[in-house]
Amino acid sequence: MANEKEVVIDVKNLSVGFHVRGKKTNVIRNISFPVYRGETLAIVGESGSGKSVTTKTFTGMLDSNGFISGGSIIFDGLDLAKFKTNDDWLQIRGKRIATIFQDPMTSLNPLLTIGYQISEVLILHHGLSKKEAKEEAIKLLAKVRIPNPEERYNDYPFQYSGGMRQRVVIAIALACRPEVLICDEPTTALDVTVQAQIIALIKELQEEYKWTTIFITHDLGVVANVADRIAVMYAGQIVEYGTVEDVFYHPEHPYTWALLASLPQLGTKDEPLSFIVGNPPSFAGEIIGDAFAPRNEYAMNIDFVMEPPIFKISETHWAKTWLLSPNAPKVKKPKVIEELHLRMKGAATELKRQEGEDYE
Amino acid sequence: MSKKNLEKPPVSKDVLSPLSNTEPLSVEHPTAQDLREDEMVESVSGMDSSYQEIFNGEEKVESEIPAPKKHKNALDPKDDEFEKGRDITRGTPADDIIVKMRDVRISFKIGTLERVIINHLNLDIKRGEILGLVGESGSGKTTIGRAIIRINKVSGGEITYNNVKISGKIPKKRERLLKTKIQMIFQDPGDSLNDRANIDYIVSEGLRAFHLYDDEADRVNKVTEMMQRVGLRPEYLSRYPHEFSGGQRQRIGIARCMVMNPEFIVADEPISALDVSIRAQVLNLIKQFQQERDLTVLFIAHDLSVVKYISDRIAVIYAGKIVELCSANRLFEAPLHPYTKALLTAVPIPDPKIERKKKIVVYNPMQHHYVKSDAPEFREIEPGHFVRCNTPEFEAMKAELARLGGEKK
Ligand SMILES: Nc1ncnc2c1ncn2[C@@H]1O[C@H](COP(=O)(O)OP(=O)(O)OP(=O)(O)O)[C@@H](O)[C@H]1O
Ligand SMILES: [Mg+2]
């Protein structure tokens, strides 16, 4: 699967740091991964693991105290890691690579009408006339299922609900026909029913427009829905990378195990949920060994002294843990991980009954 | 594989030996500096002033109540009126209702307009249970929770606690008592903690206000013990909220609440603002306390999967009305109200095979065709399973239940 696919963004040995109070932090630590064209790559991991910082480098949107300290980001023969000025980014940001953020108001101006904000993009990027832009904008609003788009065209953002605002942001992204759409927790602030609709909309439009999605979320349920591939991040590194099946059904990194095992959906009433003890490491100092070691119940002595290399598990799947070393003792995965599908199937009985479908 | 990694020396067997069990794994002691580092991406918004007001409001009643004598519990449960209430229902555990809401109406005034959020609400919370209250934002979940702790005024109907009225005008003494018996855990662990006070002050605040300790040594003891219970080091007591991560702050919030030894807790989305990896820990804590102390919890959430794990019963609320109420397992097994079904199919299931086959049910509130002559009511469809429906719907749901079969054990 992996080999024939075309890579649209190729990240190689990327490192990112920030200037904080006269010191430099090292927040993204030498990561490499491909993003395949037409697919959805989900990036998961704890808060602060570097999901947003990683993708912000794709559009030159790092905060002003941030800098790329090494590596490359190859997109269509260009190395985005070398881009410096706003002029460099002009043809890329928002045009070929667009971003949808958690809070739609980061992308919308509260003082301008919804219609104006979409038309503006169309005039700017596609050189449409005012009238053409308005027609096109209304079409786009209809596309993202805003009811009565002609009437709602002249509304201000505050007149829209959170879910509708996010639809408008999607419409603005659509207006640019991006090749890559970065969705940074686009549904985290929304109600589950609205979230389900927005996700369905993004998937549907992706089918039609054939873009590539990078989907950042901490919700493994959402990941199961949207992802073709998953990158699991921990402390500024990708610790496991594989297809959605690889990562859900055959995870190999103890951090992935811990993340999956803490899902309340896997819990049964009579046993406490498992959780990850402690906190992620600080980026202020140097991280020695495997960054996850202090919280890892499977940690071995070597984890405290030496960073693990990447171990290939299959053509599509790799993980960065000493447990995969041929010399490591064999360990049993947590029971809930082995039973994940079984337990979820149990929990999904109501769906089976309701739809009369077979959830094998 | 990166070049750097390839250059690493081959791994010998002995360095790969598992850690000995006696060696403590992760010890949680980030320095203040580390924590501030992590802080930068966290958003902290304004403080909940209304609660703060209520919480500090006891100063007004202070003068009316003689200062509690030392060495005697200021709120001796034997002579308080709540205990009398409890006696009435004692012996019939099935009906042991701690909080009763009857025909409750809650509205807010916006200028001259009155916006009714909750109307004709009836809800019983059983002693010792965790009742999950789920629904989307704006459906009235928080409003209900806040009405119980008297932050929101009730403009109609009545709320009782141990069969004693606690809504509307009540005696000062009762209000004061209530503030020790009922506690709240908030959604944003940052918001609810006063950032200028150290952890010791924050956790002790309620103890001090109601003098729920014998002497200083007893207070320190209680607070220290509670810190350990929630998995925080007692040394942290001298630190300030901003020095802690979200999960730690939520545990401080729980410590502050539990140190009061409450009977009833309103937990308003206590894990929504937390990272997935630490949610489980907070859920475990709440559940442990509930089991150990026969605590009753109203657990407010928008995520059904979380509520299923923690709740004994679940109430689903839509637009200010409870549309379905039954045991947590049964709700997942046999959801009947179309909104419950929509909510159930909307929650993403962390299993790609299942999640991708799932069909999403969309709820349209217009689908019911309710008429005045046959208005929807909250009806019991099977024992303990209530659904808001009219007569034709009631019949249809009964038929649906018959097809599904009875409750599985
Ligand atoms: N402007 C900045 N200055 C200093 N450090 C920063 C800055 N922006 C981000 N960081 C740090 O970079 C690290 C990664 O942050 P990032 O926002 O990518 O995390 P994330 O995985 O997206 O987390 P979340 O799930 O909370 O969005 C964090 O430790 C954060 O504190
Ligand atoms: Mg982020």
Side-chain angles (χ1 to χ4, degrees):
Chain A
M1 181 173 175
N3 293 340
E4 309 92 61
K5 293 258 178 175
E6 184 195 345
V7 173
V8 57
I9 297 180
D10 202 12
V11 179
K12 280 265 167 4
N13 303 102
L14 179 68
S15 292
V16 180
F18 288 95
H19 294 286
V20 183
R21 289 186 294 270
K23 282 199 232 140
K24 283 181 191 170
T25 59
N26 196 9
V27 158
I28 302 298
R29 303 183 298 130
N30 192 21
I31 61 172
S32 305
F33 64 98
V35 182
Y36 294 100
R37 190 179 292 282
E39 289 193 349
T40 297
L41 171 72
I43 306 182
V44 291
E46 261 162 287
S47 182
S49 57
K51 306 182 293 292
S52 300
V53 169
T54 301
T55 51
K56 277 181 183 172
T57 61
F58 300 174
T59 50
M61 294 214 306
L62 280 180
D63 294 341
S64 57
N65 62 330
F67 57 94
I68 293 177
S69 51
S72 58
I73 305 161
I74 306 298
F75 172 73
D76 192 19
L78 304 163
D79 184 359
L80 304 182
K82 301 268 174 323
F83 280 27
K84 290 262 157 6
T85 62
N86 260 335
D87 274 359
D88 290 340
W89 285 108
L90 216 55
Q91 293 307 313
I92 304 284
R93 181 196 302 147
K95 251 187 159 174
R96 298 183 67 189
I97 306 179
T99 311
I100 302 175
F101 292 103
Q102 174 174 341
D103 179 2
M105 291 315 287
T106 27
S107 317
L108 297 176
N109 184 335
L111 302 176
L112 301 173
T113 65
I114 296 290
Y116 181 88
Q117 298 188 55
I118 304 177
S119 301
E120 193 189 23
V121 174
L122 291 164
I123 294 167
L124 207 76
H125 284 192
H126 300 296
L128 300 189
S129 72
K130 253 190 160 163
K131 193 164 157 280
E132 288 165 337
K134 179 172 179 177
E135 269 168 31
E136 185 62 26
I138 289 171
K139 272 191 211 152
L140 285 170
L141 283 174
K143 194 108 221 163
V144 296
R145 314 252 162 67
I146 299 287
N148 312 326
E150 290 91 354
E151 286 163 40
R152 304 305 301 256
Y153 181 88
N154 290 316
D155 281 357
Y156 288 88
F158 76 88
Q159 290 166 294
Y160 278 41
S161 70
M164 282 165 71
R165 280 183 217 152
Q166 203 57 293
R167 285 170 194 271
V168 171
V169 177
I170 296 173
I172 291 175
L174 274 186
C176 315
R177 304 260 171 158
E179 283 157 70
V180 178
L181 184 68
I182 299 169
C183 302
D184 191 345
E185 313 240 11
T187 59
T188 306
L190 302 174
D191 278 317
V192 272
T193 48
V194 181
Q195 163 174 290
Q197 290 161 26
I198 296 285
I199 289 175
L201 178 71
I202 292 175
K203 282 172 71 171
E204 210 183 290
L205 293 171
Q206 182 177 14
E207 280 278 293
E208 187 180 337
Y209 290 83
K210 309 273 181 238
W211 67 59
T212 305
T213 310
I214 300 175
F215 206 107
I216 297 176
T217 174
H218 62 266
D219 187 333
L220 288 162
V222 172
V223 174
N225 184 313
V226 301
D228 295 300
R229 271 171 233 268
I230 301 172
V232 181
M233 279 199 93
Y234 186 78
Q237 296 190 325
I238 292 177
V239 296
E240 185 156 7
Y241 181 96
T243 65
V244 67
E245 287 83 11
D246 290 336
V247 176
F248 271 94
Y249 302 130
H250 312 285
E252 291 296 343
H253 197 287
Y255 178 66
T256 314
W257 296 344
L259 208 57
L260 285 167
S262 67
L263 286 167
Q265 289 95 326
L266 281 172
T268 57
K269 295 240 159 179
D270 31 279
E271 63 189 22
L273 298 169
S274 66
F275 60 88
I276 311 177
V277 282
N279 291 304
S282 149
F283 290 112
E286 199 196 340
I287 295 172
I288 296 164
D290 183 336
F292 186 50
R295 307 172 77 190
N296 180 7
E297 55 179 301
Y298 297 89
M300 301 175 291
N301 289 329
I302 191 172
D303 285 307
F304 293 88
V305 288
M306 198 183 286
E307 188 183 321
I310 280 165
F311 288 97
K312 202 168 159 186
I313 300 150
S314 73
E315 277 308 311
T316 56
H317 190 190
W318 54 258
K320 198 169 155 57
T321 167
W322 283 119
L323 284 181
L324 290 171
S325 157
N327 294 331
K330 279 272 158 293
V331 297
K332 260 183 101 98
K333 291 183 191 178
K335 200 163 139 252
V336 287
I337 298 300
E338 300 283 9
E339 292 176 352
L340 184 128
H341 185 53
L342 218 70
R343 289 194 181 209
M344 290 297 178
K345 237 163 65 179
T349 45
E350 82 287 350
L351 294 173
K352 196 148 86 181
R353 287 197 190 186
Q354 208 176 302
E355 316 273 351
E357 265 201 55
D358 187 14
Y359 279 92
E360 247 339 289
Chain B
M1 208 186 269
S2 76
K3 208 166 166 204
K4 198 168 129 232
N5 288 328
L6 283 171
E7 281 161 10
K8 281 203 172 120
V11 183
S12 76
K13 253 215 157 97
D14 68 311
V15 279
L16 280 163
S17 65
L19 272 185
S20 78
N21 277 343
T22 50
E23 211 165 315
L25 274 176
S26 138
V27 198
E28 198 176 351
H29 55 261
T31 63
Q33 172 73 20
D34 295 349
L35 289 164
R36 260 184 242 111
E37 216 71 70
D38 292 333
E39 225 20 43
M40 283 181 292
V41 287
E42 301 236 6
S43 69
V44 176
S45 46
M47 176 111 148
D48 188 338
S49 59
S50 52
Y51 184 75
Q52 230 24 47
E53 247 171 65
I54 293 257
F55 199 81
N56 297 327
E58 84 286 338
E59 269 135 44
K60 284 175 231 127
V61 293
E62 196 83 69
S63 55
E64 291 176 26
I65 299 171
K69 288 193 191 80
K70 277 196 172 175
H71 300 295
K72 184 182 181 292
N73 193 337
L75 294 158
D76 190 348
K78 282 190 200 70
D79 52 48
D80 88 53
E81 49 186 321
F82 294 112
E83 284 307 304
K84 282 177 220 142
R86 177 184 278 201
D87 282 340
I88 297 170
T89 49
R90 191 170 286 163
T92 52
D95 299 317
D96 194 356
I97 306 300
I98 185 163
V99 171
K100 214 176 269 180
M101 305 184 86
R102 284 291 170 271
D103 207 26
V104 167
R105 172 192 165 95
I106 308 165
S107 53
F108 296 106
K109 287 240 163 63
I110 306 162
T112 53
L113 281 173
E114 189 193 29
R115 194 165 158 237
V116 182
I117 308 289
I118 303 285
N119 209 357
H120 303 302
L121 177 87
N122 292 298
L123 180 64
D124 285 352
I125 303 174
K126 296 182 193 172
R127 187 182 312 282
E129 80 171 338
I130 299 188
L131 177 69
L133 184 59
V134 260
E136 15 213 88
S137 60
S139 60
K141 309 181 294 283
T142 299
T143 309
I144 293 173
R146 287 167 161 246
I148 297 173
I149 63 167
R150 296 178 59 80
I151 292 175
N152 288 342
K153 284 203 183 82
V154 164
S155 55
E158 188 178 86
I159 303 176
T160 65
Y161 183 78
N162 285 335
N163 290 332
V164 176
K165 183 177 169 234
I166 59 162
S167 55
K169 273 219 155 66
I170 60 168
K172 287 258 164 81
K173 185 182 174 193
R174 188 181 302 168
E175 172 148 52
R176 189 175 155 83
L177 212 44
L178 216 54
K179 283 180 194 160
T180 69
K181 302 248 170 193
I182 306 183
Q183 298 295 322
M184 186 151 183
I185 302 174
F186 295 92
Q187 168 167 3
D188 192 311
D191 270 15
S192 58
L193 304 179
N194 179 354
D195 213 28
R196 278 164 306 179
N198 70 14
I199 305 307
D200 187 39
Y201 181 89
I202 289 171
V203 176
S204 309
E205 205 171 6
L207 289 180
R208 283 223 171 85
F210 299 98
H211 214 282
L212 298 175
Y213 54 93
D214 297 337
D215 48 22
E216 180 61 13
D218 184 40
R219 182 194 66 79
V220 172
N221 214 7
K222 282 195 158 103
V223 169
T224 310
E225 212 171 281
M226 188 47 65
M227 286 293 277
Q228 280 163 340
R229 251 331 289 285
V230 300
L232 295 172
R233 312 168 140 236
E235 296 96 279
Y236 289 175
L237 283 169
S238 58
R239 297 195 183 165
Y240 291 82
H242 67 265
E243 299 178 47
F244 293 91
S245 68
Q248 289 174 321
R249 282 200 299 244
Q250 191 56 289
R251 281 182 278 151
I252 293 166
I254 292 174
R256 176 177 78 163
C257 159
M258 291 312 302
V259 80
M260 300 291 285
N261 204 3
E263 283 180 348
F264 183 84
I265 283 185
V266 176
D268 191 356
E269 305 247 15
I271 61 163
S272 306
L274 302 182
D275 217 23
V276 253
S277 59
I278 44 186
R279 286 183 175 181
Q281 190 179 12
V282 170
L283 285 179
N284 284 346
L285 259 182
I286 294 177
K287 199 154 180 173
Q288 276 162 20
F289 276 121
Q290 180 253 345
Q291 283 166 351
E292 274 165 33
R293 304 191 173 183
D294 196 26
L295 191 69
T296 310
V297 183
L298 178 66
F299 191 101
I300 298 172
H302 64 268
D303 184 342
L304 257 175
S305 57
V306 166
V307 172
K308 181 190 184 185
Y309 168 75
I310 201 162
S311 314
D312 300 296
R313 293 193 303 153
I314 296 177
V316 179
I317 181 168
Y318 180 82
K321 298 260 188 303
I322 294 179
V323 296
E324 189 156 2
L325 170 68
C326 73
S327 79
N329 283 339
R330 191 60 178 155
L331 190 82
F332 276 71
E333 216 172 74
L336 292 175
H337 194 278
Y339 177 66
T340 312
K341 290 179 179 177
L343 209 52
L344 269 174
T345 59
V347 178
I349 301 168
D351 182 327
K353 283 186 201 158
I354 297 172
E355 176 63 15
R356 283 160 187 213
K357 268 190 198 158
K358 193 183 74 180
K359 286 200 194 82
I360 287 171
V361 176
V362 177
Y363 175 59
N364 174 5
M366 307 306 285
Q367 73 190 71
H368 298 285
H369 306 296
Y370 290 142
V371 290
K372 263 238 170 75
S373 56
D374 188 14
E377 275 174 56
F378 206 52
R379 305 179 199 218
E380 191 166 17
I381 288 207
E382 57 184 338
H385 190 168
F386 300 85
V387 185
R388 184 178 147 85
C389 55
N390 64 10
T391 312
E393 285 177 325
F394 183 71
E395 295 309 328
M397 286 174 192
K398 276 211 134 151
E400 192 178 338
L401 266 189
R403 277 200 309 278
L404 287 174
E407 187 163 1
K408 282 198 293 195
K409 257 285 146 244

